[in-house]
Amino acid sequence: MSGLDEILTRVFGFADFRPGQREIVEAVAGGEDVLAIMPTGGGKSLCYQLPALEGTGTTLVISPLIALMRDQVRALRASGVAAGALTSGNTDEESDAVWRGLEDGSLRLLYMAPERLASGGMERVLRQSGIARIAVDEAHCVSQWGHDFRPDYLRIGELRRALGVPLAAFTATADEETRAEIVERLFGQDATPRQFLRGFDRPNIHLAFAAKDGPRRQILDFAAARRGQPGIVYCGTRAKTEGLAQALGQAGHAACAYHGGMESDARRAVEERFAREDGLVVCATVAFGMGVDKPDIRWVAHADLPKSIEGYYQEIGRAGRDGAPADTLTLYGPDDIRLRRTQIDEGLAPPERKSADHGRLNALLGLAEALGCRRVQLLGYFGEAAEPCGNCDLCDRPPETFDATEAVRMALSAILRTDERFGTGHLIDILTGNPTDKVRERGHDDLPTFGVGRAHDKRHWQAVFRQMMGRDLVRPDAERHGALRMTHAARPILRGEAGIELRRDAIARREGPVPRALVAEEDAPLLSALKAQRRALAEAQGVPAYVIFADRTLIEMAERRPRSLDEMARISGVGAVKLDRFGATFLKVVTGEAEEMHPARRKLAGRPQGALYDRLMEAQQRLARGVDGTDKPLSCASNTLSWIAERRPDSIEALARAPGLSAPKLDRFGRAFLDAVDEG
Ligand code: ADP
Ligand code: ZN
């Protein structure tokens, strides 16, 4: 075992490197200049944290966001690593401790925001301390063309020359221009860093799209199936973030809104809460972005179509960074397509740019309307070949398709015969032979197209038009609101030179992705108990839950059920220091002392009531603290829960008869308990 492997297991508790990590760690530890592009969740931080623990000297980490730095420092300290940050939020004592550690060489990692580099004297101070290397997180912030440009990143190149140390830069943004810009600005023209480009696949993220059909209901259903798990709902408008957060709150979730129109304090409060709490749902605009560094986000839903395929991948990529399964659902509909097209057409960009933007939107729509594995298509867009993944909605359930050549030609003909002046609703009236006033006033009931599509109903035609928009056969007219125009792409079909397959109306089948449990049913109660233990520790120490242990670590504990501290040490994520601090506590939970507390639950084992009992328990744990976190914890006796699990009351009155369910408890838990009963 090399020194690096030894540190990996002892300090971080990981048995193996993730793909690509070893080469990067070795290069960084070997003092090379490095530019590494890894997908979000690929495990970038380890690539500079691990080398920092080898040899002498301090690794200076430049990172753009204070909240992220503080969390990383906390996580490192929890593993027994001497790490510190110099940020504007520091107390004097914290800063003093950092300076001392830097002076006496005991500090392994020093985190700093780029703005700090501007302050007079910083460069001199750093030159006098033993800085061994510079690591730059989110290195694309140095690029002026990206949306995250931070002018102070431009100082890093100078600092590197002044200190004369190697530099390792990390980012998840990989396009070639940005890469070239990073190299030039951080390393200068003479240096040639070694580049590592790790693939884009995020195999643990389940991909799914659905056409909008009662979108609020669709989001609520998706969230309900993932109750108590932290998630993000991305919304197209600020108003929608608030409306959805409220609806989710009424449905018994801990939920809040986040958008650019909120005061920065309020936004920061949401970011903090999301990081700390275990099961918060944030309904947000894309403004909720880089500040989100939570590895255990279990799901991301899009209530509206994202802007582009790049945006889509970045947003869903925030889920499951810890490698444990994560779910996504993206909703889209004709209105989204219309909105995005209009935004592009009405924007101020030059024509070439507009047509490129339409192309990028097409790629996303193609993904939404795909007929085969979504991952194959997604990775293909990023230039990677892939096999059908078995972890997307279309692999789970291949869509039914039909030869739509005739239907599409009918629709195109209706568009052309009405001079491309009308929208979907009116065109469908013509096709299905619906003689509305508007149809008759304009004489459209005399068209040869009138009624040719009678064989199919309105829903079917809506699906056809949506898919035609998705395939860019028709586009909304920028000048005339709602009207559809035919594009070049449709010509071959109209002329009978090409055919087309479309998906049979997936809308009518009302299918959402099937929720998948993180562990098998028999391990679920133990996982809940482990999570409750983690929450208790995290709250006591005022740190986010994942700083104690990642979800994946708890999942592995629940599945492998270690019987001794030795076995506990072999669980991924349990390093020496964490074993010392938390090993015995979690071992107790595993070896059944926690189960001992609920003999009532054990009686229900193997019966459906058991699963309901667990849902009730989860609802209770979720609400125990009260939403603002100030209330005293409240909980029900296990015989209360088993009474409910056995009788399944379906009203508040019936529920009120449960033994031990006092008025305040009924107030707090009543709705959530009824929902839990209802779910089963
Ligand atoms: P990113 O590349 O997005 O910055 P992080 O560095 O935050 O990702 O790592 C994401 C998650 O993966 C973290 O929870 C981290 O602990 C975990 N991780 C990193 N390396 C490994 C490894 N070799 N084995 C298991 N988990 C790992
Ligand atoms: Zn697939």
Side-chain angles (χ1 to χ4, degrees):
M1 205 191 248
S2 85
L4 297 172
D5 288 284
E6 191 270 331
I7 299 174
L8 183 70
T9 12
R10 176 171 49 82
V11 178
F12 296 91
F14 300 140
D16 294 299
F17 284 106
R18 288 229 179 122
Q21 277 182 333
R22 176 184 295 278
E23 298 73 34
I24 300 173
V25 166
E26 282 173 356
V28 174
E32 292 183 62
D33 285 326
V34 164
L35 169 59
I37 291 119
M38 292 175 96
T40 314
K44 283 185 282 296
S45 352
L46 187 102
C47 296
Y48 55 81
Q49 289 173 348
L50 201 160
L53 305 183
E54 218 209 15
T56 56
T58 306
T59 294
L60 174 65
V61 184
I62 310 288
S63 169
L65 286 169
I66 293 176
L68 311 194
M69 277 189 257
R70 297 185 79 91
D71 281 350
Q72 288 218 0
V73 168
R74 278 203 196 98
L76 283 164
R77 291 209 182 130
S79 295
V81 174
L86 284 177
T87 72
S88 48
N90 276 20
T91 62
D92 287 347
E93 282 151 34
E94 284 172 322
S95 296
D96 286 348
V98 168
W99 289 120
R100 267 199 314 277
L102 196 58
E103 250 163 58
D104 66 21
S106 60
L107 194 68
R108 313 303 346 216
L109 290 120
L110 171 60
Y111 282 77
M112 200 185 284
E115 289 71 24
R116 275 271 160 152
L117 300 177
S119 76
M122 181 55 83
E123 185 189 301
R124 190 171 37 82
V125 173
L126 290 174
R127 220 167 19 200
Q128 285 159 4
S129 13
I131 299 294
R133 69 177 66 79
I134 303 171
V136 182
D137 205 0
E138 313 286 2
H140 62 280
C141 289
V142 78
S143 157
Q144 220 136 12
W145 306 114
H147 43 291
D148 295 330
F149 177 55
R150 299 276 292 248
D152 286 302
Y153 262 61
L154 296 172
R155 299 176 191 279
I156 299 173
E158 207 178 299
L159 179 71
R160 172 185 163 272
R161 274 191 300 282
L163 299 184
V165 294
L167 184 144
F170 298 84
T171 175
T173 308
D175 71 78
E176 234 164 283
E177 291 148 43
T178 313
R179 237 188 296 162
E181 216 178 341
I182 294 175
V183 171
E184 188 195 317
R185 299 202 161 161
L186 291 183
F187 299 91
Q189 273 145 356
D190 45 330
T192 42
R194 208 158 131 205
Q195 298 201 21
F196 296 88
L197 189 59
R198 247 271 278 126
F200 276 94
D201 194 13
R202 303 284 309 282
N204 60 314
I205 299 181
H206 187 268
L207 309 174
F209 282 71
K212 285 185 183 175
D213 179 24
R216 175 170 288 206
R217 182 78 262 147
Q218 287 171 296
I219 295 292
L220 286 172
D221 287 350
F222 189 75
R226 290 154 189 84
R227 209 172 261 291
Q229 300 180 3
I232 305 176
V233 182
Y234 279 111
C235 305
T237 62
R238 293 174 177 182
K240 197 181 273 188
T241 64
E242 287 168 358
L244 265 176
Q246 200 179 10
L248 284 161
Q250 278 159 3
H253 298 268
C256 57
Y258 183 105
H259 56 72
M262 287 161 52
E263 296 289 333
S264 64
D265 281 353
R267 294 208 316 241
R268 208 161 318 125
V270 174
E271 286 168 3
E272 285 270 307
R273 247 188 95 186
F274 189 57
R276 302 277 167 290
E277 282 179 30
D278 228 0
L280 188 67
V281 179
V282 178
C283 300
T285 59
V286 289
F288 195 51
M290 213 165 56
V292 192
D293 189 31
K294 187 175 166 64
D296 55 354
I297 299 171
R298 292 271 70 87
W299 57 274
V300 169
H302 281 99
D304 298 296
L305 186 75
K307 260 210 170 70
S308 64
I309 202 161
E310 289 87 354
Y312 164 75
Y313 206 32
Q314 195 169 47
E315 282 141 31
I316 64 162
R318 303 210 161 99
R321 301 218 345 241
D322 54 8
D327 267 326
T328 66
L329 172 66
T330 301
L331 299 183
Y332 65 101
D335 287 342
D336 291 299
I337 306 177
R338 216 168 281 131
L339 175 71
R340 293 298 184 206
R341 294 259 184 245
T342 318
Q343 281 174 341
I344 297 173
D345 285 332
E346 290 178 353
L348 298 173
E352 325 76 77
R353 175 66 191 270
K354 284 187 180 178
S355 99
D357 284 347
H358 278 298
R360 279 155 19 122
L361 179 57
N362 284 347
L364 178 62
L365 294 171
L367 184 64
E369 300 287 8
L371 303 180
C373 176
R374 296 207 197 266
R375 202 171 310 266
V376 167
Q377 189 141 343
L378 180 63
L379 295 177
Y381 177 81
F382 291 111
E384 267 177 49
E387 294 290 305
C389 70
N391 195 27
C392 73
D393 54 343
L394 298 180
C395 280
D396 298 342
R397 228 168 334 184
E400 262 178 66
T401 59
F402 70 105
D403 181 349
T405 313
E406 229 7 80
V408 168
R409 290 176 69 182
M410 284 178 192
L412 291 172
S413 144
I415 289 171
L416 294 177
R417 284 181 191 278
T418 54
D419 298 324
E420 306 186 304
R421 299 168 63 107
F422 295 91
T424 317
H426 186 68
L427 294 166
I428 292 179
D429 284 335
I430 297 175
L431 287 162
T432 55
N434 183 16
T436 61
D437 289 349
K438 189 171 168 186
V439 167
R440 273 187 308 198
E441 272 162 28
R442 290 176 169 73
H444 290 165
D445 47 350
D446 292 333
L447 293 174
T449 332
F450 185 75
V452 290
R454 234 180 227 118
H456 298 291
D457 65 0
K458 193 168 157 191
R459 286 181 82 87
H460 177 87
W461 281 109
Q462 281 168 340
V464 169
F465 274 101
R466 191 199 68 235
Q467 294 182 72
M468 286 171 66
M469 288 170 83
R471 303 279 193 95
D472 203 18
L473 304 177
V474 295
R475 270 192 202 180
D477 192 325
E479 322 270 85
R480 242 183 248 120
H481 183 75
L484 290 178
R485 277 186 300 107
M486 187 180 108
T487 66
H488 287 295
R491 292 233 170 105
I493 301 175
L494 188 70
R495 289 201 216 104
E497 295 160 12
I500 182 167
E501 294 247 307
L502 292 183
R503 299 162 53 156
R504 203 169 278 297
D505 197 349
I507 301 178
R509 287 190 294 162
R510 276 193 167 276
E511 283 165 1
V514 211
R516 290 152 320 122
L518 289 174
V519 293
E521 206 202 332
E522 67 267 24
D523 297 330
L526 178 53
L527 182 59
S528 303
L530 290 165
K531 279 190 172 177
Q533 181 61 68
R534 177 178 68 174
R535 185 161 24 208
L537 285 170
E539 261 162 35
Q541 307 187 4
V543 298
Y546 62 81
V547 167
I548 308 288
F549 281 130
D551 277 5
R552 275 191 342 152
T553 302
L554 296 193
I555 291 169
E556 205 179 314
M557 276 182 210
E559 286 172 345
R560 305 216 336 225
R561 301 184 180 237
R563 296 265 127 201
S564 64
L565 283 176
D566 266 357
E567 284 178 27
M568 186 61 101
R570 263 173 254 141
I571 303 283
S572 174
V574 184
V577 170
K578 287 193 180 176
L579 184 71
D580 250 22
R581 290 194 189 155
F582 314 126
T585 310
F586 282 86
L587 192 61
K588 256 191 219 159
V589 179
V590 176
T591 52
E593 293 198 25
E595 275 169 75
E596 226 70 83
M597 293 190 298
H598 310 297
R601 168 67 180 86
R602 211 171 317 132
K603 261 194 244 151
L604 303 176
R607 293 199 285 148
Q609 287 89 331
L612 175 51
Y613 184 100
D614 296 337
R615 282 203 303 278
L616 293 167
M617 185 62 121
E618 261 182 56
Q620 167 176 294
Q621 285 170 352
R622 189 157 30 88
L623 299 172
R625 287 165 300 150
V627 176
D628 52 7
T630 55
D631 292 355
K632 277 226 301 270
L634 201 60
S635 69
C636 303
S638 48
N639 70 327
T640 309
L641 300 188
S642 61
W643 186 93
I644 302 171
E646 295 277 10
R647 321 250 160 139
R648 313 181 59 87
D650 60 359
S651 66
I652 289 283
E653 293 72 45
L655 187 64
R657 285 197 281 277
L661 198 60
S662 60
K665 290 181 190 172
L666 189 65
D667 237 32
R668 177 83 66 89
F669 304 122
R671 275 236 54 82
F673 282 176
L674 288 179
D675 282 350
V677 171
D678 204 35
E679 259 172 58

